[in-house]
Amino acid sequence: MIADAARRALEALLGERVRFDAPVGRHTSLGVGGAADAIATPESIAEVEALVALCAEQRIPLHVLGGGFNTLVRDAGVDGVVLRTQRLRQLEVDADSVLNAQAGVSHSQVTRLTLERGLAGLEFGAGIPGSVGGWVAMNAGIPGRETGDRVLEIEVATPRGGLQRIGRAGLRFVYRGVQGLPAGSVVVAARFQLEPSTREAVRAEVERHLAHRRDTQPIDQPSFGSVFKNPPGERAGQLIELAGLKGLRCGGAEISSVHANFIVNVGAARAADALELMRRAQAAVRAQRGIELEPEVRIVGRCEA
Ligand SMILES: Cc1cc2nc3c(=O)[nH]c(=O)nc-3n(C[C@H](O)[C@H](O)[C@H](O)COP(=O)(O)OP(=O)(O)OC[C@H]3O[C@@H](n4cnc5c(N)ncnc54)[C@H](O)[C@@H]3O)c2cc1C
């Protein structure tokens, strides 16, 4: 619940760019989950800055949503404000092949621009759906390559108000995450160092990565990508497959028969269906191998009563 005074302050700041009691699951790739107290879609960095400060001041919980490609929203919905970054779409490349991107820039915008300009370094991201903010926050990557390798600097809006630039020396990119962001801050932009190459070479790399995905992942079905992180020296998908769970269904969710570390929405799935499959996969792998699978997907929202 957002108190009336806070509601008025949000409306004064964002006008029609804030909606109350709004369904949020539809803004995620799995397409499930309940409503948020409010969804805010700021259209400038200045608005993000003011919103982050307002939520901190009014003690309203704030959750950031980029493309929603690695987020599972619980059926009972989300307390507080969900900040969508999708309108922060500025993207440019400078003379030193540095790509400057606002947080809501999508993976396809980045890929298009690097293809047009023949800039190498982020081709592996072509098949990783999401926004620049999500790539940075998740340190999205593939074995041997990750977003953090290319980050020069990021800019965040902090709960104390104002913006802060953090160079790569102040950040520690870890497996599917980044350390060094001030608590409660929101990434508003990032700078990536790329390398001059040719359009043909960049295109060939992009196509190689996309082809690998087409062969190994259920890309034509709604999912949130990898469900669990790979435990050291193991592949989560292989552990789940060896536990015999490929194809297991719960309601409208299924452990993909293409790749066992994906849960796909095969009908009218609920978040509870996906969470139950996750629980069963964890229990089976624990029983069979004594390994604890840790979720990679970010689960947000109220727990069911
Ligand atoms: C088919 C498919 C394949 C995938 N393959 C891969 C893969 O190969 N490798 C990989 O790493 N991932 C993969 N993913 C997962 C997903 O693409 C990445 O995690 C991506 O980085 C998510 O970006 P997003 O903007 O959608 O993040 P969201 O799902 O919106 O958010 C993810 C997390 O980042 C936080 N966040 C988002 N934006 C910001 C911001 N501006 N500031 C602060 N925090 C923020 C959110 O609060 C949340 O905790 C795949 C997903 C799908 C559906």
Side-chain angles (χ1 to χ4, degrees), residues 63-71 85 103 128-131 133-135 137-138 140-142 176 186-187 213 217 223-225 262 296 298:
H63 177 81
V64 193
L65 191 65
F69 287 97
N70 207 202
T71 296
T85 57
I128 305 182
S131 64
W135 274 5
M138 297 299 296
I142 57 173
R176 298 304 165 261
V186 176
V187 176
R213 276 171 197 281
Q217 297 181 356
S223 78
F224 44 70
F262 281 67
E296 176 171 323
R298 302 295 175 100

Side-chain angles (χ1 to χ4, degrees), residues 21-168:
D21 301 315
V24 64
R26 66 169 63 153
H27 301 301
T28 68
S29 51
L30 197 68
V32 307
D37 287 336
I39 297 184
T41 315
E43 63 181 3
S44 66
I45 287 180
E47 277 189 356
V48 174
E49 200 185 327
L51 176 62
V52 174
L54 189 153
C55 287
E57 193 185 285
Q58 302 274 344
R59 295 174 189 270
I60 305 170
L62 179 69
H63 177 81
V64 193
L65 191 65
F69 287 97
N70 207 202
T71 296
L72 176 60
V73 177
R74 291 182 189 271
D75 298 313
V78 183
D79 282 326
V81 171
V82 170
L83 185 168
R84 297 188 67 208
T85 57
Q86 66 167 138
R87 292 197 194 176
L88 302 180
R89 304 281 288 207
Q90 278 179 30
L91 175 63
E92 61 191 20
V93 179
D94 72 17
D96 297 321
S97 304
V98 173
L99 184 114
N100 297 291
Q102 290 189 344
V105 165
S106 70
H107 68 292
S108 44
Q109 268 182 284
V110 171
T111 302
R112 243 190 334 268
L113 189 71
T114 56
L115 278 169
E116 272 167 27
R117 306 278 178 95
L119 290 168
L122 282 174
E123 298 93 326
F124 71 88
I128 305 182
S131 64
V132 160
W135 274 5
V136 170
M138 297 299 296
N139 190 19
I142 57 173
R145 279 180 231 183
E146 53 188 36
T147 303
D149 300 340
R150 292 282 160 187
V151 171
L152 284 177
E153 183 182 69
I154 63 172
E155 192 171 18
V156 297
T158 72
R160 281 184 296 130
L163 299 173
Q164 187 180 336
R165 284 175 186 264
I166 311 174
R168 64 168 302 118

